[in-house]
Amino acid sequence: MILAYKFRLYPSRAQRQTLDQMLRDFCKLYNAGLEQRIAAYRMRGISLSYKAQASELKAVRAAGEGLERWSFTAEQQVLRRIDKTFKAFFARIRRGETPGFPRFRARARYHAAEFRVGDGLTLRKNDRIANRIANRLGIVGVPGDIKVKCHRKLPGEAKSAILARQNDKWFVVFHVEVAEAERLDGETVGIDLGLSSLVALSTGETIERPNWTRRAAKGLRKRQRSLARCKHGSRRQVKARARLAAYSAKIARKRADTLHKLSANLTARFAAIGIEDLNIKGLARGMLAKDVHDAAWAQLASMLDYKAARAGGTIVKVDPRGTSQTCPDCGTIKAKRLSERRHRCACGCDLDRDVAAAQIIHFRAFGSRPGHGLQNSRRRVAA
Ligand SMILES: [Zn+2]
């Protein structure tokens, strides 16, 4: 299992300029490599290999265009990226599709470079913090070491890393191979992403939606409106767009933080977790913000996946159809309007609607409701 660890970088002004220059050069290399491939394909009908392009890299670096300043292996990765793009392109042609040709990349949209750790990019331990947390990053071609905030220890040796620029902030993402833990036994739970709460657990617990989510929706609307009011192509528009992007990124960080804490908590408490399988196209919930809902759910599901794998837990995905319309006690299908906050059934079952859905999910995943005995696990529940 490969885990990604993302850390923020704090380059000086000079280092920032050098990093920008590096990405500009990598972008140029990418476009030149792409052009060469397209020409070979159009004029001779052949597909250049990565090997063929990489063998020319030395000569290209010697040509004095500035590429010789940067890491050789990072530039090889640029060529590998072209190779991947082309392989995907040909795979689609073989499937009978008609994909567009791989596109040239604009400098302003070229934001990342791949490195082999220890070769072109090195994490250095800071002596003052007695080899506890490394907090300096050396990159070939960049003067001095770059400050990096390693907010946690890497669980192993990182083999590769991605250097990335996002909204003028710099990050490094380390990829670390981690062994999966032994399967463990323990409590099971079903969870459902709630309508009013953030998630509901089949145990009856609901976890509140953080307060900032409402403010965030308002803040986003405000910035979208002010962008829409700007004259096309004006400086004001550029600034407004940057403000919207920075705000969206901030919300994304907050959401990731919330979901990281939630998934860490759940995988620590439960050995097996039942969730809805988003790949099964269920009946639409009729929610206004279904896309937002699904995006957050997909993010939480992937966090649960890897955190459970690391802790020896299991994630069971179930068919989501009808989870919110079924009574967990007697299996009766009972349609609810979105405004109905509680599940009340003729059998006497009275629960928070999201908790009831979580219990159905638990039933589908593990064949029983938590806290209920054999009797319940034998009873069939209609889907
Ligand atoms: Zn019932």
Side-chain angles (χ1 to χ4, degrees), residues 208-254:
E208 283 315 302
R209 190 181 293 280
N211 276 329
W212 60 263
T213 51
R214 265 172 223 103
R215 275 204 311 277
K218 243 177 142 176
L220 269 181
R221 270 199 305 278
K222 193 177 124 193
R223 284 164 183 80
Q224 273 157 353
R225 272 199 304 265
S226 75
L227 173 62
R229 277 196 301 267
C230 293
K231 199 171 141 196
H232 190 72
S234 64
R235 283 185 68 81
R236 274 172 54 93
Q237 190 192 34
V238 172
K239 280 185 186 166
R241 190 177 292 131
R243 273 197 295 270
L244 176 61
Y247 193 76
S248 306
K250 186 173 159 189
I251 307 268
R253 284 197 300 274
K254 280 190 171 190

Side-chain angles (χ1 to χ4, degrees), residues 107-128:
R107 246 164 47 171
R109 283 167 189 252
Y110 199 93
H111 292 305
E114 274 180 71
F115 286 86
R116 219 186 288 149
V117 176
D119 178 1
L121 181 148
T122 318
L123 195 55
R124 299 193 218 287
K125 291 189 164 58
N126 191 321
D127 294 335
R128 277 174 300 170

Side-chain angles (χ1 to χ4, degrees), residues 326-332 334 343-349:
T326 313
C327 174
D329 263 2
C330 68
T332 308
K334 185 176 174 292
H343 167 83
R344 287 197 184 88
C345 179
C347 75
C349 178

Side-chain angles (χ1 to χ4, degrees), residues 9-291:
L9 299 180
Y10 295 89
S12 67
R13 180 191 286 258
Q15 287 171 335
R16 194 181 290 270
Q17 282 165 356
T18 314
L19 289 170
D20 284 333
Q21 182 60 48
M22 184 175 78
L23 285 190
R24 278 202 292 276
D25 285 351
F26 283 6
C27 180
K28 241 196 307 188
L29 176 64
Y30 183 93
N31 287 335
L34 189 60
E35 195 174 2
Q36 193 187 24
R37 287 220 182 202
I38 291 174
Y41 182 72
R42 289 235 165 103
M43 298 193 313
R44 292 180 281 158
I46 58 162
S47 142
L48 287 181
S49 67
Y50 163 73
K51 257 190 160 169
Q53 290 200 304
S55 67
E56 292 179 31
L57 188 54
K58 249 193 185 149
V60 173
R61 280 165 65 91
E65 302 236 3
L67 282 173
E68 70 287 353
R69 285 174 287 180
W70 320 116
S71 156
F72 188 84
T73 47
E75 288 171 356
Q76 284 179 322
Q77 297 304 319
V78 174
L79 299 179
R80 280 223 166 80
R81 216 192 303 181
I82 302 175
D83 193 48
K84 256 190 208 159
T85 315
F86 260 80
K87 283 200 171 121
F89 170 70
F90 285 119
R92 288 188 61 188
I93 287 184
R94 275 196 300 277
R95 285 202 301 270
E97 298 171 30
T98 47
F101 242 81
R103 288 198 211 159
F104 292 104
R105 302 273 301 270
R107 246 164 47 171
R109 283 167 189 252
Y110 199 93
H111 292 305
E114 274 180 71
F115 286 86
R116 219 186 288 149
V117 176
D119 178 1
L121 181 148
T122 318
L123 195 55
R124 299 193 218 287
K125 291 189 164 58
N126 191 321
D127 294 335
R128 277 174 300 170
I129 313 179
N131 74 25
R132 243 187 67 235
I133 291 176
N135 61 356
R136 295 264 153 186
L137 195 71
I139 295 175
V140 167
V142 179
D145 284 350
I146 301 173
K147 241 193 265 174
V148 46
K149 192 169 180 191
C150 292
H151 55 277
R152 63 179 56 202
K153 221 174 164 175
L154 295 178
E157 211 184 314
K159 291 272 191 304
S160 66
I162 291 174
L163 181 76
R165 179 178 57 199
Q166 291 172 347
N167 296 311
D168 286 324
K169 294 187 177 69
W170 287 88
F171 300 89
V172 62
V173 182
F174 289 107
H175 295 141
V176 185
E177 171 102 59
V178 180
E180 290 192 19
E182 294 283 312
R183 285 264 164 272
L184 48 83
D185 291 326
E187 298 273 308
T188 60
V189 73
I191 62 169
D192 187 32
L193 207 60
L195 289 178
S196 54
S197 52
L198 181 60
V199 291
L201 276 55
S202 54
T203 54
E205 205 179 317
T206 53
I207 292 160
E208 283 315 302
R209 190 181 293 280
N211 276 329
W212 60 263
T213 51
R214 265 172 223 103
R215 275 204 311 277
K218 243 177 142 176
L220 269 181
R221 270 199 305 278
K222 193 177 124 193
R223 284 164 183 80
Q224 273 157 353
R225 272 199 304 265
S226 75
L227 173 62
R229 277 196 301 267
C230 293
K231 199 171 141 196
H232 190 72
S234 64
R235 283 185 68 81
R236 274 172 54 93
Q237 190 192 34
V238 172
K239 280 185 186 166
R241 190 177 292 131
R243 273 197 295 270
L244 176 61
Y247 193 76
S248 306
K250 186 173 159 189
I251 307 268
R253 284 197 300 274
K254 280 190 171 190
R255 186 176 55 225
D257 179 61
T258 301
L259 296 180
H260 269 304
K261 283 170 184 158
L262 174 62
S263 53
N265 176 294
L266 290 171
T267 48
R269 281 170 61 194
F270 300 100
I273 301 171
I275 61 173
E276 287 187 341
D277 187 351
L278 271 188
N279 293 321
I280 300 176
K281 291 273 176 281
L283 295 171
R285 281 163 177 253
M287 271 184 64
L288 314 159
K290 191 173 182 305
D291 291 348

